Amino acid sequence: MAADTPTETAARERTEPTTATAPTARTGVLKADAIGFLDALAIGLNATSPAYSLAAVIGPLVVLVGVHAPGVMLASFVPMLLIASAFHYLNRSDPDCGTTFSWATRALGPTTGWLGGWAIAMTGVLVVGSLADVAVGFGLLAVGADGLAGNALVREVLTVLLILLMSWLCVRGTEASARFQNALVLLQVVCLVVFAAVALYRVYAGTGSLDAVRPAAGWLNPFGAGGSALTGGLLLGVFAYWGWESALNLTEETKDSANAPGRAGIWSTVVLLATYLAVAVAVVAYAGTAYLAGRADTEEDVFAALAHEVLGGWDWILLLAVSTSALASTQTTIIPASRTALSMARRHALPARFAHVDPRRGTPGTSTWWVAGTATVWYVVIHHISENALADSLTALSLLIAFYYALTGIACAVWYRRRLTQGLRPFLLLGAGPLVGAALLIWLLAESVADMADPHNAASSTAWFGLGAPLVIAVFLTGAGVVLMLVRRMASATFWRERPGTHQDAP
């Protein structure tokens, strides 16, 4: 008998009981065909928060590798593209909004899948508050409210309100969210292009106000600064690219769900590469390495300072780009966590209430508000622990990202293992590519853990329990995940009776 198509398989498993998964009627069923390819592409781009990511990493990156910062951004693209390809092909076989959770469960087993799903959910918890805080701060600067931007209480209150507003927009409907994201991505890209163009024009015209240096082809060589510097730079690059897979978390709500979300994820990384290279070259050329290195301890201020240097009275353009970037990402970062929780719940890996979908809007209201609430509490608590705690929380994020990205690459090779000897194309696209991407990320993960274990290392701005605070945060969240997994398994072992399998309908 012929195998089901990917879409038929996914639809059946979301509506029909199986041995291990039996969602009730309408439970966990999202609104189909709510968005198209371009909507998914916009969401994938906005989830990475390009302007904010550049503002956050460009200073530390220049400290590590100097003028080779654009080259490191280019090198960071390689594992991202390989993993994006793995996401694409796994999604063609199993278009599930839980992405890594679903794929790792089927390829590697329930326990591994559960931990992958937990990692995705926790990335949202860690970063949503920070993104909303940046959106508020740069938004206030863009409108000239510098005094309010410097008031910690005002920013905290506005940040919490913004998280709630973005969560409400997520619940209101995927179509409304997509329209909002389309407008934000266009505004953000236009602002970045204007900034980069003006900066490079002033470099070549000799009208810059800083120690400008003309770009050279050697800047694209990521190995120019040496091995250890490259390792640290790649870690920052992975953070800068992270988020494109949000397009695939909307796979069940996207037209042509087996193909469009995966293509949107891949094209997101390509567009990001072009954007990052253009802006990184412009920033390094205009400001010079000494100026950027001097700003490395206050990463968020890099673009705030450069905005006036490059654009003068039009500095609000760049400030608006960063604010828009963080605002868009605040919303899109909620999507992967909420959809993953939904996918986990309908397969009994989480309590059934997380699988509730609003029957009119077709959105996962319960899981969305849980993610928003947890992220808000995390932001408020961590913000009051120390002034560096938010930065440490973001640094810890890189460990979770590297883990579930690498897990996806391995799952792809295992899932399609019987196809790898059937030709060069399957071997490269379904096996070698994803495994190389996973190996690079595992290497970066190991290097990152070693760096964060030393509280005096630059990767750790605070020491907790004799270790770098980011590592402590990552270990705490991982331990909490293991405990919750064991508790859930004792409450309902249905999910853990699933057995890994192999799918043969590879493209």
Side-chain angles (χ1 to χ4, degrees):
M1 182 174 63
D4 289 340
T5 66
T7 303
E8 289 170 343
T9 301
R12 188 187 68 249
E13 291 179 353
R14 286 192 292 273
T15 57
E16 296 180 3
T18 65
T19 302
T21 61
T24 58
R26 297 296 302 168
T27 297
V29 181
L30 298 165
K31 184 176 182 180
D33 299 335
I35 61 174
F37 168 78
L38 292 179
D39 299 319
L41 177 62
I43 289 170
L45 288 171
N46 275 332
T48 65
S49 191
Y52 165 64
S53 296
L54 283 167
V57 306
I58 194 67
L61 194 55
V62 169
V63 170
L64 289 169
V65 300
V67 296
H68 299 285
V72 171
M73 297 302 294
L74 177 60
S76 301
F77 168 73
V78 175
M80 287 299 98
L81 180 63
L82 294 173
I83 296 302
S85 178
F87 269 79
H88 172 55
Y89 288 118
L90 283 167
N91 184 72
R92 290 188 68 172
S93 182
D94 179 22
D96 190 295
C97 67
T99 61
T100 299
F101 158 73
S102 179
W103 305 330
T105 295
R106 298 188 180 196
L108 304 172
T111 297
T112 304
W114 200 99
L115 292 175
W118 175 257
I120 295 174
M122 287 302 99
T123 56
V125 170
L126 285 175
V127 79
V128 165
S130 297
L131 290 167
D133 183 82
V134 170
V136 168
F138 273 85
L140 292 172
L141 291 175
V143 298
D146 296 29
L148 292 178
N151 187 309
L153 179 60
V154 169
R155 285 183 61 159
E156 185 173 304
V157 171
L158 291 177
T159 295
V160 171
L161 291 176
L162 183 60
I163 294 173
L164 297 177
L165 175 62
M166 291 299 99
S167 302
W168 172 80
L169 189 57
C170 286
V171 172
R172 187 170 180 269
T174 304
E175 299 99 323
S177 297
R179 288 194 296 269
F180 182 63
Q181 291 297 320
N182 289 339
L184 291 184
V185 75
L186 180 62
L187 177 61
Q188 180 182 176
V189 170
V190 168
C191 290
L192 286 175
V193 168
V194 169
F195 167 75
V198 172
L200 288 174
Y201 170 80
R202 295 189 64 182
V203 167
Y204 283 98
T207 60
S209 57
L210 300 174
D211 296 326
V213 55
R214 292 196 174 190
W219 290 12
L220 296 179
N221 176 17
F223 302 102
S228 60
L230 174 60
T231 301
L234 288 172
L235 288 170
L236 292 170
V238 168
F239 168 76
Y241 281 98
W242 169 70
W244 49 263
E245 75 276 10
S246 291
L248 287 101
N249 289 104
L250 291 170
T251 185
E252 296 173 25
E253 299 154 86
T254 306
K255 299 172 185 176
D256 188 16
S257 62
N259 296 290
R263 289 190 287 110
I266 292 175
W267 275 106
S268 293
T269 64
V270 174
V271 174
L272 286 170
L273 173 64
T275 304
Y276 286 167
L277 287 182
V279 177
V281 168
V283 168
V284 174
Y286 187 91
T289 57
Y291 178 88
L292 294 172
R295 293 278 177 173
D297 291 333
T298 55
E299 303 108 355
E300 292 179 9
D301 292 334
V302 170
F303 276 12
L306 281 179
H308 185 71
E309 293 285 351
V310 175
L311 302 172
W314 293 85
D315 56 352
W316 59 268
I317 291 177
L318 185 57
L319 298 175
L320 181 62
V322 178
S323 178
T324 300
S325 175
L327 175 63
S329 193
T330 300
Q331 183 192 13
T332 52
T333 306
I334 294 172
I335 290 173
S338 62
R339 266 60 176 182
T340 298
L342 166 70
S343 180
M344 294 175 74
R346 68 189 180 195
R347 293 172 72 163
H348 303 285
L350 286 178
R353 62 178 175 273
F354 287 94
H356 173 73
V357 173
D358 186 295
R360 183 164 64 91
R361 296 187 174 93
T363 56
T366 301
S367 61
T368 298
W369 286 117
W370 267 95
V371 170
T374 307
T376 300
V377 171
W378 179 270
Y379 165 75
V380 173
V381 171
I382 209 74
H383 190 255
H384 285 277
I385 290 178
S386 77
E387 62 182 49
N388 294 322
L390 276 179
D392 291 327
S393 189
L394 290 179
T395 304
L397 189 69
S398 65
L399 298 177
L400 300 180
I401 296 169
F403 170 69
Y404 79 80
Y405 274 178
L407 195 61
T408 306
I410 295 170
C412 184
V414 173
W415 184 265
Y416 290 118
R417 61 187 180 272
R418 295 175 187 168
R419 289 291 309 274
L420 302 185
T421 58
Q422 296 181 9
L424 181 61
R425 187 171 183 267
F427 175 77
L428 293 177
L429 296 181
L430 303 177
L435 285 178
V436 168
L440 289 172
L441 289 166
I442 291 171
W443 168 61
L444 290 174
L445 177 63
E447 291 287 340
S448 185
V449 169
D451 288 344
M452 293 179 191
D454 181 0
H456 303 295
N457 191 284
S460 308
S461 57
T462 312
W464 291 351
F465 309 108
L467 299 171
L471 182 58
V472 175
I473 292 172
V475 170
F476 167 75
L477 291 176
T478 302
V482 171
V483 171
L484 287 176
M485 179 181 68
L486 295 175
V487 170
R488 179 58 189 167
R489 185 167 186 172
M490 287 187 291
S492 174
T494 302
F495 170 68
W496 280 270
R497 287 197 289 268
E498 290 197 28
R499 292 292 179 267
T502 305
H503 193 87
Q504 292 303 303
D505 290 338

